[in-house]
Amino acid sequence: MVPDIETDGGTTEMSRDENVEMSRNAVRDGVLDAIGTVSLLGFSLLALFIGVRGFSIGSSMAISGVFVVVSCLLAAAAFNLIPPFRD
């Protein structure tokens, strides 16, 4: 069932400045989201490397395990599998 919504016939007027500003904000948000995702994946790979290297050279197993878990959490945050860190 479709709710009844009163409209003005679909003729909403936007000025050119509003249209440009809205598209500029959308592009900026998209670029920042892409940069954030790539950054989180980079930090995830770094933490994974440190953790696996710690396992292979025989350093503290607990610290190496923490790095591997942090790596998994960062990767999950990059793909929105867990709630975001920010509000």
Side-chain angles (χ1 to χ4, degrees), residues 2 9 14-15 27 29 33 51 56 59-60 62-63 68 74 76 81 83 86:
V2 178
M14 286 182 61
S15 70
V27 168
D29 286 345
D33 282 346
S56 66
S59 77
S60 172
I63 293 175
V68 170
L74 286 174
L81 298 175
R86 56 183 165 74

Side-chain angles (χ1 to χ4, degrees), residues 40-41 43-49 51 65-77:
L40 280 174
L41 288 176
F43 289 133
S44 174
L45 286 175
L46 178 65
L48 183 65
F49 173 75
V66 166
F67 273 106
V68 170
V69 168
V70 166
S71 170
C72 292
L73 287 174
L74 286 174

Side-chain angles (χ1 to χ4, degrees), residues 4 9 14 19-20 24 38 41-42 47 52 55-57 61 64-65 67 72 82:
D4 293 330
M14 286 182 61
N19 194 13
V20 168
R24 184 174 292 150
V38 170
L41 288 176
V52 170
F55 284 136
S56 66
I57 65 171
M61 297 295 266
S64 298
F67 273 106
C72 292
I82 60 174

Side-chain angles (χ1 to χ4, degrees), residues 2-43:
V2 178
D4 293 330
I5 300 173
E6 294 182 19
T7 61
D8 60 352
T11 57
T12 321
E13 294 289 326
M14 286 182 61
S15 70
R16 185 174 192 281
D17 292 336
E18 289 174 343
N19 194 13
V20 168
E21 182 181 348
M22 184 174 59
S23 57
R24 184 174 292 150
N25 287 338
V27 168
R28 184 181 327 139
D29 286 345
V31 168
L32 289 177
D33 282 346
I35 289 171
T37 299
V38 170
S39 298
L40 280 174
L41 288 176
F43 289 133

